[in-house]
Amino acid sequence: MENELKQLIIDALDLEDISVADIDSDAPLFNDGLGLDSIDALELGLAIRKKYHVKIDAEKEDVVKIFSSVTTLANYIKSAQG
Amino acid sequence: MSDFILCNWNAWTPGLDFSDDRLMTSGNAAVPECVPKMLQRRLTPLARAVFNVAAPCVESGKNLPVVLSSAHGEICKSLDMLKTIQAGDEISPTAFSLSVHNAIAGLFSIAYGNSQEITVLAPGLEGIAPAFIEALGMLNEGANEVLMILYDEPLADFYPIAPFNLNVCFPCVLALRIALSGNGVPLQLYRNTQSRDDGEHPVQLLAFIKFLVAEERSLCLGNQGHSWTWHKK
């Protein structure tokens, strides 16, 4: 799932110059790592909801932890899908 | 009446056939290299054109107060979102953020780290004069120079235009750097009471770009009883 998720990130966020191999599963997605911002977080949340039918509720969930890397995001989606 | 200096200008109008170094008339506007990579992906073709004309107008590394003026802004993005809603899909947060009237101003301030005063106007019938009035106000309040950026792109066929004269069939983007003194072309702006019918902001913008490259000394633009004259002194 990690690679599928990386491709989703690239497509949803128009990261034209980045390939799946460039994204480290455990590196931070926001700020220092991949350098995504808050609008990217919203866009990614929408893309995940569309593809995996998993809604990440910013009010209830620990979004900072969930969005911290590809690995944490994939784990959350897997657990939410049950 | 107000006197000012046009220090520099640059325009992008891929429909005009004039030979002038300051006028880009063909091709797609490229993304200036100084714009951070992660921000480049957010630049629409209109935003790219704005960045392209604004960059050479200002001394590198210098941040000026800015007045942006556009009748329609990124209206094509708004229409795309309306179609998405109509189709029952969710709209993209990124597309929404880039559709608002001050989206290009926001991108510009982030890309150049410009924390000066930035004003975005949406004049219709009043045309391009309000942008000048705003910029002259900033100069008279103490700014040494003001960067003005006027832009519009063609409206989608979806929008009924008749009987209004508010559309040009190619994008027009103009950046001007103005000051109250210094080197450049001395210009005068004054109001007159002629009743005219010169079209709205996009149409007036094209007329003004032509005026900059032409020999004519004066240009009068307005609608109904409100008109303004720009005079090369």
Side-chain angles (χ1 to χ4, degrees):
Chain A
M1 178 185 244
E2 272 81 359
N3 280 347
E4 194 181 275
L5 202 50
K6 287 176 189 176
Q7 193 58 53
L8 181 75
I9 291 169
I10 291 167
D11 295 339
L13 308 182
D14 292 326
L15 303 174
E16 288 168 4
D17 300 330
I18 291 175
S19 68
V20 167
D22 294 331
I23 303 176
D24 179 346
S25 295
D26 296 314
L29 287 171
F30 294 89
N31 302 321
D32 292 342
L34 201 50
L36 305 180
D37 61 20
S38 58
I39 294 174
D40 290 320
L42 295 171
E43 195 69 42
L44 193 52
L46 176 66
I48 288 168
R49 195 156 72 230
K50 277 185 180 168
K51 188 172 171 96
Y52 300 106
H53 308 288
V54 168
K55 190 167 188 283
I56 302 167
D57 190 337
E59 300 287 312
K60 291 183 195 150
E61 314 286 351
D62 192 352
V63 284
V64 176
K65 243 182 207 156
I66 296 168
F67 277 101
S68 66
S69 71
V70 170
T71 304
T72 57
L73 203 48
N75 287 341
Y76 178 79
I77 294 169
K78 281 180 215 158
S79 69
Q81 282 177 326
Chain B
M1 187 189 298
S2 192
D3 290 301
F4 62 98
I5 306 291
L6 174 57
C7 311
N8 198 2
W9 65 268
N10 288 88
W12 185 71
T13 47
L16 269 190
D17 192 17
F18 278 102
S19 180
D20 191 302
D21 290 347
R22 295 161 296 186
L23 189 63
M24 291 179 268
T25 56
S26 63
N28 288 318
V31 179
E33 278 174 19
C34 63
V35 176
K37 261 269 173 294
M38 291 302 269
L39 208 57
Q40 288 185 9
R41 66 201 163 112
R42 301 254 165 89
L43 301 191
T44 59
L46 187 60
R48 286 176 188 210
V50 164
F51 277 49
N52 267 272
V53 298
C57 215
V58 183
E59 218 175 292
S60 173
K62 208 170 173 184
N63 278 330
L64 303 179
V66 192
V67 176
L68 296 101
S69 176
S70 176
H72 310 305
E74 296 271 16
I75 197 166
C76 298
K77 276 226 163 300
S78 301
L79 180 60
D80 286 345
M81 285 193 300
L82 290 173
K83 287 177 179 165
T84 305
I85 293 169
Q86 188 183 32
D89 288 333
E90 286 182 87
I91 59 169
S92 150
T94 312
F96 175 74
S97 80
L98 297 178
S99 73
V100 297
H101 202 64
N102 57 356
I104 293 179
L107 292 168
F108 187 81
S109 76
I110 295 168
Y112 291 97
N114 187 334
S115 55
Q116 301 283 319
E117 180 177 357
I118 299 183
T119 304
V120 189
L121 305 175
L125 205 57
E126 294 294 331
I128 61 169
F132 283 87
I133 294 163
E134 186 72 23
L136 287 166
M138 288 179 179
L139 290 176
N140 281 293
E141 276 187 344
N144 288 328
E145 294 180 317
V146 174
L147 174 65
M148 298 173 61
I149 310 172
L150 301 93
Y151 57 95
D152 265 307
E153 61 183 359
L155 282 173
D157 292 340
F158 171 83
Y159 293 103
I161 291 168
F164 304 103
N165 184 12
L166 48 65
N167 196 33
V168 172
C169 59
F170 49 85
C172 290
V173 182
L174 171 67
L176 309 159
R177 180 161 55 88
I178 67 169
L180 291 181
S181 60
N183 295 327
V185 181
L187 287 178
Q188 215 166 40
L189 174 66
Y190 52 89
R191 195 168 186 174
N192 54 47
T193 50
Q194 280 181 42
S195 189
R196 300 184 59 98
D197 180 20
D198 293 309
E200 301 196 12
H201 187 276
V203 182
Q204 291 192 14
L205 174 54
L206 178 60
F208 192 81
I209 294 171
K210 287 179 179 168
F211 170 65
L212 288 174
V213 288
E215 298 289 319
E216 277 86 13
R217 308 295 299 170
S218 289
L219 174 72
C220 185
L221 293 171
N223 285 294
Q224 298 157 8
H226 301 280
S227 56
W228 295 84
T229 299
W230 288 259
H231 181 69
K232 295 172 189 161
K233 280 174 41 181

